[in-house]
Amino acid sequence: FSILRCFDEGEFKHYWFETGTPTFLVNLIKENSYYVPEIEKLELMDTDFSTYEIERLNINAILFQTGYITIKDIVDIEQNVYRLGYPNLEVKKSFMEVLFCEYTGATSTMPFVKILNALKKGETETFIEIIRSLFAGIACSVGAMLNEAYFHSLFYVMVSGAGVFTYSEILTSEGRIDLVVELSNGIYIMEFKCNQSSKTAIAQIKKKRYADRYLQTGKDIHLVGINFSTEKRNIGDWQTEKVIQIASYKKPHEI
């Protein structure tokens, strides 16, 4: 459908997503405090995404049935375990936009443009202030539900909606990175804490050497520690450090 519409109108747009507004699905995700970043690393058995009892609705099953996630790989063919994820960037970005408006009450996705521009320019302070202003606009009734998982989920929605490559809970040999944002000119490694300190978050990034896997990218690496305050219902404090990477040496015949 999207391809036919694209040929008909002669330009790229989110045609598939425009065929319907997933109000029921979005409300279900919000009401159940569904951990949205989990979609990036979802592993299920075939019976898990084919169950649709109305008495106990399975959000993962509904996401699969409606096309917002699809089978990406087979993890264990004997046990029928599959890895699922977004089918493409169009679906992911559009889905994040809808969730963003539902969570924050926003009527425009203009903040995504500001977030993207700040990240591209390496303006971490501007980026954090945009996120802070978005959290400040969340109604108290919603803000009261915020905890570390909810904060991480909403933070992920805000950044993913900007259209950048965002990876949640990346496993390394030393631990698990909360969030990685990758652009053509830089990588942001983020660690979240709740009612602790951003200093603790930065210390964890360094101690567990989260940046090691990106040392050969030749990109600027930004280490970002963020502490969320449940009392303020917002970012309490944050710290950042920047590591300038030098492109790896290549022999003349390899250039």
Side-chain angles (χ1 to χ4, degrees):
F1 176 79
S2 293
I3 293 172
L4 291 174
R5 286 287 303 276
C6 182
F7 283 140
D8 184 50
E9 300 193 18
E11 60 179 321
F12 292 106
K13 289 184 178 179
H14 297 172
Y15 299 114
W16 179 84
F17 203 86
E18 291 173 356
T19 59
T21 303
T23 305
F24 168 72
L25 178 57
V26 171
N27 288 338
L28 194 63
I29 288 173
K30 184 178 177 181
E31 291 170 3
N32 288 273
S33 299
Y34 181 80
Y35 188 55
V36 181
E38 183 179 45
I39 296 176
E40 298 279 3
K41 55 181 181 61
L42 204 56
E43 292 186 0
L44 302 172
M45 296 183 67
D46 55 353
T47 54
D48 292 329
F49 54 84
S50 60
T51 305
Y52 307 101
E53 288 86 353
I54 193 66
E55 296 81 10
R56 51 183 184 89
L57 289 173
N58 185 324
I59 294 178
N60 292 326
I62 297 175
L63 284 169
F64 175 74
Q65 181 66 23
T66 51
Y68 294 105
I69 60 175
T70 189
I71 296 174
K72 308 290 284 189
D73 196 10
I74 300 174
V75 178
D76 189 329
I77 193 168
E78 293 184 356
Q79 298 297 323
N80 294 321
V81 179
Y82 301 88
R83 181 174 295 111
L84 293 89
Y86 299 104
N88 53 53
L89 186 59
E90 172 194 345
V91 173
K92 178 180 179 180
K93 188 175 185 299
S94 299
F95 195 42
M96 293 303 104
E97 289 175 355
V98 171
L99 289 177
F100 168 77
C101 292
E102 180 62 30
Y103 280 130
T104 65
T107 56
S108 169
T109 55
M110 187 62 190
F112 287 150
V113 177
K114 297 179 180 178
I115 288 173
L116 180 58
N117 288 337
L119 290 173
K120 281 184 175 179
K121 295 176 182 177
E123 298 174 350
T124 311
E125 183 173 353
T126 301
F127 164 70
I128 294 295
E129 287 308 314
I130 295 171
I131 299 296
R132 266 181 168 161
S133 66
L134 292 173
F135 270 104
I138 297 176
C140 291
S141 58
V142 177
M145 298 187 300
L146 292 180
N147 52 35
E148 186 172 357
Y150 189 92
F151 166 68
H152 187 173
S153 188
L154 186 50
F155 199 103
Y156 165 84
V157 167
M158 292 176 179
V159 179
S160 294
V164 297
F165 290 105
T166 309
Y167 311 97
S168 179
E169 299 191 341
I170 302 297
L171 287 173
T172 71
S173 59
E174 298 291 334
R176 190 189 302 265
I177 308 173
D178 279 345
L179 196 70
V180 173
V181 179
E182 185 170 2
L183 297 93
S184 59
N185 63 336
I187 294 174
Y188 293 81
I189 299 174
M190 302 184 183
E191 179 66 27
F192 301 124
K193 295 297 178 185
C194 188
N195 297 326
Q196 297 184 49
S197 73
S198 58
K199 183 178 180 181
T200 302
I202 286 288
Q204 180 173 326
I205 295 175
K206 292 181 175 180
K207 180 181 180 180
K208 300 198 173 184
R209 305 176 66 88
Y210 288 158
D212 283 7
R213 64 184 295 164
Y214 305 103
L215 293 177
Q216 301 302 317
T217 62
K219 299 180 179 181
D220 290 347
I221 297 179
H222 304 262
L223 311 181
V224 185
I226 299 174
N227 177 52
F228 179 69
S229 168
T230 53
E231 181 181 354
K232 295 180 179 179
R233 297 171 182 165
N234 210 319
I235 294 175
D237 63 290
W238 64 280
Q239 291 186 25
T240 183
E241 293 186 18
K242 181 179 177 181
V243 180
I244 307 296
Q245 294 300 306
I246 301 175
S248 58
Y249 172 76
K250 290 185 178 181
K251 297 178 181 179
H253 69 274
E254 295 179 326
I255 298 176

